[in-house]
Amino acid sequence: HEDVLVRYYKHSILKDESVTPPSLRGNYPEIVKSLTDEQWKYILNLPLYLRLEEHNAIIVHAGLVPNIPIDEQDPFYMMNLRNILPDGTASKE
């Protein structure tokens, strides 16, 4: 999942303490060790969403929180959102 890789890179490589470090489970430790600089650059520059003007659509990996403009959406939820809770908050669960 790109979000895990991006958070790992920002926290562990760039030493950005504002980023919560991800838990590297499964084959992620091998993946982060195997990526080249070019591959890291590609992953870090992937857009969070695609706007398809001709279809009046926005494509995201997971979801968007209702009533929040696209430019104000939390990137974490754009990549991980699973549910909107009854109180209107976003949840990964």
Side-chain angles (χ1 to χ4, degrees), residues 62-68 72-93:
L64 298 171
V65 179
N67 303 316
I68 296 181
E72 296 175 23
Q73 292 282 331
D74 183 330
F76 178 81
Y77 288 122
M78 293 173 81
M79 293 182 277
N80 294 282
L81 182 70
R82 293 202 178 157
N83 291 297
I84 301 294
L85 301 177
D87 66 359
T89 59
S91 172
K92 180 183 172 183
E93 306 306 318

Side-chain angles (χ1 to χ4, degrees), residues 15-36:
K15 305 297 184 200
D16 184 344
E17 295 297 323
S18 70
V19 176
T20 304
S23 173
L24 295 182
R25 292 181 242 155
N27 62 346
Y28 279 105
E30 292 83 28
I31 291 171
V32 298
K33 290 176 186 173
S34 71
L35 291 173
T36 65

Side-chain angles (χ1 to χ4, degrees), residues 33-72:
K33 290 176 186 173
S34 71
L35 291 173
T36 65
D37 289 343
E38 184 176 326
Q39 290 167 325
W40 277 117
K41 183 178 177 181
Y42 176 80
I43 291 168
L44 294 168
N45 286 298
L46 288 170
L48 291 174
Y49 64 91
L50 298 174
R51 189 181 299 268
L52 303 178
E53 299 285 345
E54 65 275 16
H55 299 291
N56 193 31
I58 294 174
I59 310 298
V60 297
H61 178 80
L64 298 171
V65 179
N67 303 316
I68 296 181
I70 188 78
D71 295 333
E72 296 175 23

